[in-house]
Amino acid sequence: MPACLILWLCRPGWSIAGEDWQARAWSTFYYTDDVALFSASRRLSLNADPTQPALDDRLTGQGSDGVFEPGLKLSRNFRTDFGTTRLEASGDGYVYLTRTQFTHGTLRLQAQQAFTDTTALNLIYYYSPDLYLGENLVRQPGLLPAAAEPDAEAGPLAPEVLTSNIVSLRLDQSLTSTLGFQLLARYGSRRYDPAFAQRDLDFWTLGPHLSWKPLAELTWLVGYHFERGLADGRRQPWLADDVSYDNNFVSTELEYEFAERNRLTLGLHYELNDWLSRQARDARYGTCENVYQGEILLSHDFSALTRLYGGVQYSSRSINTDDPAITNLNVAFGIRMDF
């Protein structure tokens, strides 16, 4: 599918608005103190996939590692009878240096139709294949893979792997010269390997975003998402593993250009997962998960085309029980180039 899109973008016969092509490449190196939580922490933002798959406690605390992220985005603008059309294809990967089983990649395709200078509609497809979460307890012995290993306390274990497909529709509307509004709706699915098929779920999301630029050097973004996910496990009470949820997500980011070509970005995010399981033997029965995350990023533009950046991200996850909070620290350093 990505190759077909790129070939289609290259075809002649269009009236081009501005530059034919735009490209952005980036390369980032991370240190993380928990390889199992790194992916979920990195995607906790309004324009990514903040409601990552349910993570059992046994999957966290897997140790630290270095992670390398290469990324590339290609885009092209077209003048049409409806305004300006912009097509984008971007992909990135997280390559773990020693815990290579956690290595994975994502793909994002986006089509934007700008009807006027103030109104645009975006159609977005997000694909995350074969995301490895760790070795987890298999609750369906009849589907136990041959390579599964036993656990003396819990039973047989197998790799928990899933694929996510998400389609989003976002309306962008400028209200004034300094105030912008977005409305996001999305629908998606997460599909697991057969050994964890009870966790297969479909979900939908709805939420508004608001951006404000009170000064030329200052931009503030705030948004809220409500999401509901319903898993197959709710129809299989004998497995006592229902990961259905209601999710409330609030995020805010502040970007300040404190000196010429130097920017400071601060982000705060909060997520509340209310687990919907009605099975008394389920570990999630009657519980909810609170996630708090903060981040700081400094960047310097060497030119209009090259940016150097570095930052720190910290998150804390807790259940409404006596269990201690689970934390994750990520440190990043990278470079971005536009062509």
Side-chain angles (χ1 to χ4, degrees):
M1 186 173 180
C4 294
L5 177 65
I6 292 174
L7 289 174
W8 186 82
L9 285 172
C10 293
R11 67 177 186 159
W14 286 81
S15 173
I16 307 304
E19 295 291 336
D20 285 3
W21 283 96
Q22 294 176 350
R24 171 171 291 178
W26 61 93
S27 180
T28 312
F29 182 79
Y30 299 92
Y31 163 80
T32 180
D33 67 353
D34 193 331
V35 295
L37 287 175
F38 174 78
S39 176
S41 297
R42 291 302 306 160
R43 288 174 171 77
L44 196 66
S45 68
L46 291 171
N47 292 316
D49 183 19
T51 52
Q52 285 291 289
L55 283 171
D56 297 339
D57 289 347
R58 68 177 299 117
L59 297 181
T60 62
Q62 297 296 311
S64 61
D65 201 359
V67 184
F68 173 64
E69 179 199 11
L72 176 66
K73 178 169 71 174
L74 300 176
S75 59
R76 195 177 184 186
N77 293 341
F78 305 93
R79 179 69 66 186
T80 68
D81 294 337
F82 302 101
T84 301
T85 302
R86 181 179 180 86
L87 299 180
E88 293 183 355
S90 62
D92 63 354
Y94 290 116
V95 182
Y96 291 69
L97 301 187
T98 61
R99 309 297 293 277
T100 56
Q101 67 271 35
F102 286 93
T103 295
H104 64 280
T106 62
L107 171 70
R108 181 185 176 99
L109 305 177
Q110 180 170 344
Q112 181 190 77
Q113 180 63 53
F115 300 101
T116 68
D117 291 338
T118 60
T119 304
L121 192 63
N122 302 267
L123 180 63
I124 306 163
Y125 170 65
Y126 175 87
Y127 177 57
S128 176
D130 301 327
L131 177 63
Y132 173 77
L133 301 181
E135 297 288 320
N136 207 355
L137 173 65
V138 177
R139 298 174 182 268
Q140 302 195 50
L143 296 177
L144 182 63
E149 299 180 0
D151 182 282
E153 297 181 357
L157 299 178
E160 185 178 359
V161 180
L162 79 150
T163 294
S164 297
N165 287 275
I166 306 171
V167 177
S168 305
L169 191 65
R170 193 186 75 219
L171 173 67
D172 299 347
Q173 179 66 52
S174 295
L175 303 178
T176 69
S177 60
T178 62
L179 194 63
F181 174 78
Q182 295 180 340
L183 183 62
L184 175 76
R186 69 176 197 162
Y187 176 82
S189 70
R190 305 197 197 279
R191 294 294 179 262
Y192 290 73
D193 282 356
F196 300 94
Q198 75 277 4
R199 296 192 168 191
D200 288 354
L201 62 79
D202 298 313
F203 60 91
W204 58 266
T205 314
L206 185 65
H209 306 167
L210 192 66
S211 62
W212 183 38
K213 195 174 182 65
L215 302 171
E217 307 85 6
L218 184 65
T219 303
W220 179 57
L221 173 67
V222 63
Y224 165 77
H225 291 172
F226 174 80
E227 180 171 302
R228 168 163 288 190
L230 297 177
D232 288 355
R234 72 188 190 279
R235 303 190 187 94
Q236 305 172 57
W238 56 90
L239 297 177
D241 187 36
D242 180 7
V243 296
S244 302
Y245 61 86
D246 280 344
N247 178 275
N248 290 274
F249 175 58
V250 180
S251 176
T252 184
E253 293 184 3
L254 187 71
E255 183 179 282
Y256 177 55
E257 187 174 0
F258 60 90
E260 186 178 2
R261 296 186 177 182
N262 293 281
R263 288 180 175 82
L264 170 67
T265 303
L266 300 174
L268 293 174
H269 317 283
Y270 170 71
E271 189 173 59
L272 171 64
N273 285 310
D274 279 319
W275 303 111
L276 302 181
S277 176
R278 297 296 179 262
Q279 302 159 15
R281 294 186 298 110
D282 192 333
R284 290 182 170 82
Y285 175 74
T287 68
C288 64
E289 179 185 44
N290 291 278
V291 181
Y292 301 88
Q293 182 165 297
E295 56 203 25
I296 180 171
L297 181 72
L298 285 170
S299 64
H300 172 73
D301 294 338
F302 285 101
S303 69
L305 302 178
T306 305
R307 173 174 294 184
L308 189 69
Y309 54 87
V312 177
Q313 183 180 68
Y314 181 81
S315 65
S316 174
R317 297 169 177 264
S318 61
I319 307 294
N320 60 334
T321 62
D322 295 331
D323 295 336
I326 300 170
T327 62
N328 179 217
L329 174 68
N330 300 315
V331 180
F333 181 79
I335 187 170
R336 190 189 80 188
M337 300 185 68
D338 293 327
F339 304 93

